[in-house]
């Protein structure tokens, strides 16, 4: 094969790959998303990360929330059950592993201790009888339910009271938050009760959620709009860069250090 023909062949192969990547992204379940929250971490076992938020205008993503610190699962992250196709090359999230699910997920309802909050998301004012069921194999697995409605037996064994201020010595972490829709199919042992919520402190990791300051949470809740099909992305930095083009994720611009 001549050099010219080899060059043409390589260019054709590259174009085929680019076309396939674009088609895969166009077919992605989150192709309609116009709001995206992105959390990146240093690696699979890191328990802290950075959160950014983006809006999509046409095919371009624009950063609207600059990098802010968050904490995630105390054992890091693992591939979850979300909108993306199954991945390999990293841990897999399962019930009780203290890892936050990695991948792309829809954002569900907001919740909190107050009767109302400033958000366009559907909002659940939590009561003392609200629980998230984290017992795999039960009918209500991975759902927030009211024990007064489904019955006390239906939430037996759950370790997730949603009014933690009433059940866990005044804990304020669920005072404000939203659901990250991991494992909506309630696959047994797939992991449950994954939220974005308030952090206890900048150094306290979670059991699998993403935690942040009250100010950041309030800003996100005021910004999120259901009609924009908002999604939540969590990935280690290396995985984010590997998947960014094919998943058509925003480019992450790192600020240059001051001279």
């Amino acid at each position: 094969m001549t050099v010219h023909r080899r060059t043409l062949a390589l260019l054709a192969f590259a174009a085929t790959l680019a076309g396939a990547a674009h088609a895969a992204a166009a077919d992605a379940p989150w192709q309609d998303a116009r709001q995206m929250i992105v959390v990146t971490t240093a690696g699979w076992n890191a328990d802290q990360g950075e959160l950014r938020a983006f809006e999509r205008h046409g095919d371009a993503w624009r950063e609207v929330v600059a990098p802010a610190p968050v904490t995630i699962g105390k054992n890091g992250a693992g591939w979850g059950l979300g909108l993306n196709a199954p991945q390999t090359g990293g841990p897999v999230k399962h019930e009780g592993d203290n890892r936050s699910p990695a991948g792309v997920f829809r954002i569900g309802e907001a919740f909190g201790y107050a009767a109302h909050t400033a958000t366009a998301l559907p909002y659940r004012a939590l009561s003392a009888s609200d629980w998230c069921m984290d017992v795999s194999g039960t009918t209500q697995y991975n759902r927030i339910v009211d024990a007064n409605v489904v019955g006390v037996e239906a939430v037996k064994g759950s370790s997730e009271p949603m009014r933690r201020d009433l059940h866990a010595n005044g804990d304020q972490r669920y005072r404000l938050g939203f659901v990250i829709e991991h494992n909506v199919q309630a696959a047994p042992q797939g992991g449950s009760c994954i939220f974005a919520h308030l952090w206890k402190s900048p150094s306290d990791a979670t059991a699998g959620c993403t935690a942040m300051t009250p100010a950041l949470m309030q800003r996100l809740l005021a910004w999120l709009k259901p009609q924009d099909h908002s999604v939540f992305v969590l990935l280690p930095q290396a995985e984010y860069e590997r998947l960014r083009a094919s998943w058509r994720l925003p480019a992450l611009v790192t600020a240059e250090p001051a001279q």
Side-chain angles (χ1 to χ4, degrees), residues 234-258:
L234 188 151
L235 290 168
Q237 186 68 43
E239 293 297 317
Y240 191 92
E241 292 306 320
R242 178 178 71 86
L243 294 164
R244 188 180 69 81
S246 60
W247 286 9
R248 297 183 72 185
L249 302 174
L252 305 184
V253 179
T254 302
E256 293 293 331

Side-chain angles (χ1 to χ4, degrees), residues 45-48 70-76 98 100 173 197-211:
N45 298 321
D47 63 4
Q48 299 183 0
V70 293
T71 61
I72 68 163
K74 60 187 68 175
N75 288 330
N98 289 321
S100 294
R173 280 174 285 186
H197 62 70
L198 307 184
W199 66 18
K200 184 176 180 180
S201 80
S203 59
D204 277 283
T206 73
C209 297
T210 296

Side-chain angles (χ1 to χ4, degrees), residues 44-45 77-80 89-93 99:
W44 284 112
N45 298 321
W79 289 117
V92 175
K93 168 71 184 170
R99 289 185 181 271

Side-chain angles (χ1 to χ4, degrees), residues 37-41 72 77 79 100-105 210 232-236:
I37 296 173
V38 172
V39 173
T40 53
T41 65
I72 68 163
W79 289 117
S100 294
V104 184
F105 309 90
T210 296
F232 182 94
V233 179
L234 188 151
L235 290 168

